[in-house]
Amino acid sequence: NAGVTQTPKFRVLKTGQSMTLLCAQDMNHEYMYWYRQDPGMGLRLIHYSVGEGTTAKGEVPDGYNVSRLKKQNFLLGLESAAPSQTSVYFCASSMIPNTEAFFGQGTRLTVV
Amino acid sequence: RKEVEQDPGPFNVPEGATVAFNCTYSNSASQSFFWYRQDCRKEPKLLMSVYSSGNEDGRFTAQLNRASQYISLLIRDSKLSDSATYLCVVITGGGNKLTFGTGTQLKVEL
């Protein structure tokens, strides 16, 4: 019962470094999302995908890129990390619109 | 104005108390509504969906008021294990976009 799996769970980056966060789901869900969660801000949508090969911008997309080459995977990339990107990142997936979203366990990223 | 607004709390209540949270949303075209629960340093998990007719799941009751654009969550007979942050979620944009409130923190005490 893996559900939604995020890797890595923790990471410390230096300013200017790049990294990719991987989200994998084994529920055959069409929809996948990347959120960031900051104190007092709640969860904010970065990018989302409504199916393999499609991506769209969310509320706070600047500084991030995404790809959905395979239905089960949704990658979030930071090309040049900045301290403002220090956050907890959550991936989620859902089968169809207007239904329950299942979340991964989160990635705690610190940019120094 | 934020799309989804919640009182951040914290709400500190004694065990056995009844507590209610409200959440307001700004987009009248919003389609679906949910309450999620998030424990400290964990991922959000679905608590319950919110239907126009209202719905109940054990000690939890959710209500939707489309005219006033708010949803509510009532917890009866609070347990220590109910301590968590409760997130209001509204779906818009044809179902593609889940918008979260900032969450309301509940602390149930002995």
Side-chain angles (χ1 to χ4, degrees):
Chain A
N1 292 341
V4 181
T5 303
Q6 291 182 232
T7 52
K9 301 267 189 306
F10 304 92
R11 185 73 185 269
V12 178
L13 282 180
K14 293 183 178 179
T15 297
Q17 285 185 318
S18 63
M19 78 165 293
T20 300
L21 283 68
L22 171 63
C23 176
Q25 52 94 3
D26 62 2
M27 297 174 283
N28 202 34
H29 284 175
E30 291 292 337
Y31 289 69
M32 296 187 75
Y33 313 85
W34 275 107
Y35 288 89
R36 61 177 288 175
Q37 186 173 35
D38 303 290
M41 303 292 290
L43 284 106
R44 292 181 292 169
L45 183 63
I46 304 171
H47 286 280
Y48 65 96
S49 169
V50 301
E52 182 179 318
T54 72
T55 64
K57 293 180 180 179
E59 181 184 357
V60 289
D62 294 342
Y64 305 95
N65 57 74
V66 288
S67 64
R68 183 102 181 264
L69 299 179
K70 293 183 178 180
K71 186 177 183 178
Q72 64 268 33
N73 296 336
F74 195 28
L75 279 63
L76 178 71
L78 285 73
E79 291 186 345
S80 179
S84 60
Q85 294 177 304
T86 293
S87 188
V88 180
Y89 291 85
F90 286 103
C91 175
S93 71
S94 63
M95 174 63 79
I96 56 176
N98 300 314
T99 60
E100 177 182 3
F102 294 83
F103 283 79
Q105 293 180 311
T107 296
R108 296 184 180 278
L109 175 66
T110 302
V111 183
V112 297
Chain B
R1 181 186 174 188
K2 289 183 179 177
E3 285 191 57
V4 179
E5 296 201 62
Q6 294 182 251
D7 182 341
F11 283 61
N12 298 321
V13 302
E15 203 173 16
T18 295
V19 62
F21 308 136
N22 283 333
C23 166
T24 58
Y25 60 95
S26 61
N27 188 339
S28 59
S30 298
Q31 298 151 276
S32 300
F33 310 88
F34 301 90
W35 284 103
Y36 277 70
R37 170 189 169 133
Q38 186 175 26
D39 294 301
C40 187
R41 302 178 74 83
K42 298 286 189 180
E43 73 273 24
K45 292 183 179 179
L46 180 68
L47 178 66
M48 59 197 304
S49 303
V50 186
Y51 303 121
S52 297
S53 55
N55 49 302
E56 187 174 312
D57 183 2
R59 298 181 293 109
F60 298 84
T61 300
Q63 298 273 356
L64 167 63
N65 186 319
R66 285 192 183 270
S68 300
Q69 294 183 202
Y70 76 84
I71 67 174
S72 64
L73 177 67
L74 181 76
I75 305 175
R76 292 181 298 277
D77 189 23
S78 299
K79 311 291 185 189
L80 294 175
S81 58
D82 293 334
S83 297
T85 296
Y86 291 84
L87 303 167
C88 169
V89 180
V90 175
I91 297 187
T92 55
N96 297 334
K97 184 180 173 185
L98 283 71
T99 301
F100 285 77
T102 53
T104 298
Q105 188 178 11
L106 172 65
K107 296 181 180 179
V108 181
E109 303 164 331
L110 288 172

